[in-house]
Amino acid sequence: MNPKQLMKQVQQMQEQMQQRMTALRVEGSAGGGMVKAAMNGSKELLAITIDKEAVDPNDVEMLQDLVVAAVNEASRKVDEEMASSVGAMTGGMKIPGLF
């Protein structure tokens, strides 16, 4: 295969991945949905939603744990979505440096 052609394909794949990352929005939740975290494909936290029932001034640590769990779940979902997208784009071929 022509090296220039290969580089062009790689650049196109990178552009497609960037577009998918920008458009991707996932949500992680914890505490049965009492705490939700929305994140984009670049792992930027977009929003946190906390139900009133999750707020207990006598148990702040629980709320903190729920927020951390929701954010971590959203981050994991971004990783899964991006790995799935890369796999679809590369036909399942493993490319070093890409997920």
Side-chain angles (χ1 to χ4, degrees), residues 1-90:
M1 180 174 244
N2 182 343
K4 287 184 181 182
Q5 185 75 13
L6 182 61
M7 285 303 296
K8 187 174 183 178
Q9 286 179 328
V10 168
Q11 286 177 332
Q12 288 174 342
M13 287 174 53
Q14 287 176 329
E15 290 171 8
Q16 289 174 351
M17 284 302 299
Q18 190 65 35
Q19 290 172 353
R20 288 183 184 190
M21 286 175 69
T22 301
L24 180 65
R25 182 180 170 109
V26 299
E27 186 176 277
S29 66
M34 290 193 317
V35 176
K36 297 176 185 170
M39 189 174 282
N40 68 15
S42 298
K43 291 191 175 182
E44 294 173 332
L45 190 59
L46 303 173
I48 294 280
T49 305
I50 301 172
D51 285 351
K52 290 180 183 179
E53 295 83 34
V55 181
D56 180 355
N58 297 319
D59 194 2
V60 175
E61 292 82 15
M62 181 192 70
L63 179 56
Q64 292 169 338
D65 290 344
L66 291 174
V67 170
V68 169
V71 170
N72 286 338
E73 181 182 342
S75 177
R76 181 186 51 76
K77 286 183 177 183
V78 168
D79 290 342
E80 289 174 358
E81 288 287 332
M82 297 314 294
S84 176
S85 294
V86 168
M89 289 174 62
T90 63

